[in-house]
Amino acid sequence: MYNPTVARLTYRALLGRRRAMILFLLPGMLLLISAAVRAFNGMDDQVAADVLGGFALATMVPLIGVIAGTGAIGPEIDDGSIVYLLSKPVKRSSIIFTKLIVAIAVTMVFSAVPTLIAGFILNGNGQQVAVAYTVAALVASIAYSALFLLLGTISRHAVVIGLVYALVWETLFGSLIAGARTLSIQQWALALAQKVTGDGLVTSDVALPTAVALLAGVTIVATWFAAHKLSRLTLAGEE
């Protein structure tokens, strides 16, 4: 299912100069904020949880997911270069699976790794806060990548839709409407972080079994539907 050629082309597209600058900017901001908070407030478990939850998981992870997920396929569909891949003897499901793996890897590297480092800067992983939010960032990276890859496959406005979901639905509505938090990848990931800390520093509105089922379901369904849409795109082109 994994195609090295497709992976190489996707990595090259995602880590080009323009996108790479944005991908490095967000983790850099997190590390600078963490260093400043530690310098002014000292070691505080609750402050560390607030910074990692408020900026790392709520802002940085979904934004990087949008960049990696939509960027893995969206530009190729928009400029027509996807035809090059579709003309090769490669299964359409293999193309989607490979691009998903690349998007997940990029999102994890640029979100989970900085989150872990920031957690150690903030409180030295006291109360397992750094590890908890790193776990949350890892599982969120998978679901975000699958969801935003699907958006990149079906819409020319995938980036806008992704930003609306990440910043408006999860951040704005999620902070105001309890029901919205139930349909939030961020809350599902927080359920795993809550399990790691287990002392009230991290809370989620979704129970752990439900969160795991929803994370797996969204990832599987989004990946399948993206492969299905790409297959239909192939047939339309041949016709």
Side-chain angles (χ1 to χ4, degrees):
M1 291 291 289
Y2 182 83
N3 187 288
T5 302
V6 174
R8 185 173 65 254
L9 293 173
T10 307
Y11 275 118
R12 186 181 302 171
L14 286 179
L15 300 179
R17 182 179 303 176
R18 196 171 179 181
R19 285 194 178 87
M21 289 178 60
I22 302 175
L23 289 172
F24 278 105
L25 177 64
L26 291 168
M29 289 177 60
L30 173 64
L31 296 179
L32 286 175
I33 291 171
S34 300
V37 169
R38 174 65 184 271
F40 285 105
N41 291 281
M43 187 179 295
D44 188 300
D45 295 341
Q46 187 59 61
V47 171
D50 291 341
V51 172
L52 294 180
F55 183 81
L57 190 61
T59 303
M60 183 183 71
V61 179
L63 287 181
I64 292 177
V66 169
I67 296 169
T70 61
I73 195 169
E76 291 178 290
I77 293 178
D78 290 343
D79 63 21
S81 59
I82 191 68
V83 174
Y84 170 79
L85 283 179
L86 300 182
S87 65
K88 301 299 179 180
V90 181
K91 290 183 178 180
R92 306 309 173 241
S93 58
S94 178
I95 293 175
I96 290 296
F97 180 79
T98 301
K99 287 182 175 293
L100 175 62
I101 294 300
V102 172
I104 290 173
V106 170
T107 306
M108 285 183 172
V109 168
F110 285 94
S111 61
V113 174
T115 297
L116 181 63
I117 297 172
F120 275 94
I121 292 174
L122 287 163
N123 75 332
N125 194 38
Q127 302 295 323
Q128 296 291 309
V129 170
V131 172
Y133 276 101
T134 299
V135 170
L138 287 171
V139 296
S141 295
I142 298 173
Y144 279 130
S145 296
L147 178 62
F148 296 139
L149 179 66
L150 170 61
L151 289 177
T153 306
I154 65 177
S155 174
R156 291 180 177 273
H157 308 290
V159 174
V160 175
I161 298 172
L163 290 175
V164 168
Y165 172 79
L167 300 181
V168 178
W169 178 264
E170 289 202 340
T171 303
L172 179 59
F173 288 173
S175 64
L176 300 175
I177 305 172
R181 292 193 287 270
T182 305
L183 300 176
S184 166
I185 292 174
Q186 177 187 335
Q187 288 295 321
W188 305 342
L190 280 173
L192 278 84
Q194 181 180 4
K195 179 66 175 179
V196 175
T197 57
D199 63 354
L201 281 175
V202 183
T203 59
S204 173
D205 289 351
V206 183
L208 181 59
T210 303
V212 172
L214 289 171
L215 285 166
V218 165
T219 302
I220 293 170
V221 172
T223 304
W224 175 85
F225 194 54
H228 173 71
K229 293 298 292 183
L230 191 63
S231 176
R232 294 289 298 272
L233 178 64
T234 304
L235 294 175
E238 290 174 349
E239 292 174 357

